[in-house]
Amino acid sequence: MIYIIQNIWAILAATVASFAFGALWYTVLGKAWMSAASITEDMIKGESGKPSPLPYVIAFFAEFWMASILAGALILAPVEAGKWTISVMTALILWIGFIAPAMLVNNRYELRPLSLFGINAAHWLFVLIIQALVIRLVGVVPPS
């Protein structure tokens, strides 16, 4: 995992960019998301009247870990199709192969509306694509 330290700036930049995107995504789609998730603003604010920072902290660290793993995947990915194409396609393959199916299974077992799956799954697709593009833009180096 030395590659994480060697690529820390690219990984952190990807984390911040994808976290900021999530804030924008759920600001725009917040009402639809809350409705689909059967969540009210009072539930989010809790007894204190303010949202807990814990979900945001967890999201930041989860996105950092995702960016770290994605950086590793980009190091290993062949570049014959071009670095930018491979970056986006790697993100897409990871989303199609792992994130979307797992989310769909959870969504269906929890009897949640497909609109909730759509909002959340699209968010994670864009997170991975943004992370891949930022990592590629900042630069990723294989472990030495």
Side-chain angles (χ1 to χ4, degrees):
M1 295 286 202
I2 191 74
Y3 78 90
I4 294 174
I5 295 167
Q6 291 176 319
N7 291 288
I8 194 68
W9 295 116
I11 292 167
L12 283 173
T15 302
V16 169
S18 61
F19 188 81
F21 165 76
L24 177 64
W25 181 263
Y26 286 104
T27 295
V28 171
L29 296 173
K31 299 249 187 254
W33 173 78
M34 287 192 310
S35 174
S38 299
I39 294 174
T40 66
E41 286 192 40
D42 290 338
M43 292 166 73
I44 292 171
K45 291 180 182 175
E47 293 178 16
S48 70
K50 294 190 298 187
S52 168
L54 186 59
Y56 303 104
V57 171
I58 291 170
F60 188 85
F61 282 108
E63 290 182 23
F64 175 84
W65 184 247
M66 289 176 71
S68 298
I69 300 305
L70 183 55
L74 293 176
I75 288 169
L76 296 173
V79 293
E80 286 79 16
K83 290 181 179 182
W84 295 100
T85 301
I86 291 298
S87 297
V88 172
M89 292 309 295
T90 299
L92 184 61
I93 288 167
L94 291 173
W95 181 81
I96 289 171
F98 296 100
I99 292 176
M103 290 182 67
L104 184 59
V105 168
N106 286 352
N107 183 275
R108 297 315 324 148
Y109 273 117
E110 294 169 358
L111 304 175
R112 301 291 192 150
L114 284 176
S115 60
L116 181 62
F117 168 76
I119 291 168
N120 289 333
H123 162 257
W124 290 113
L125 173 60
F126 288 120
V127 162
L128 281 172
I129 290 172
I130 288 166
Q131 286 185 346
L133 293 175
V134 170
I135 289 168
R136 184 62 67 196
L137 182 67
V138 174
V140 63
V141 295
S144 51

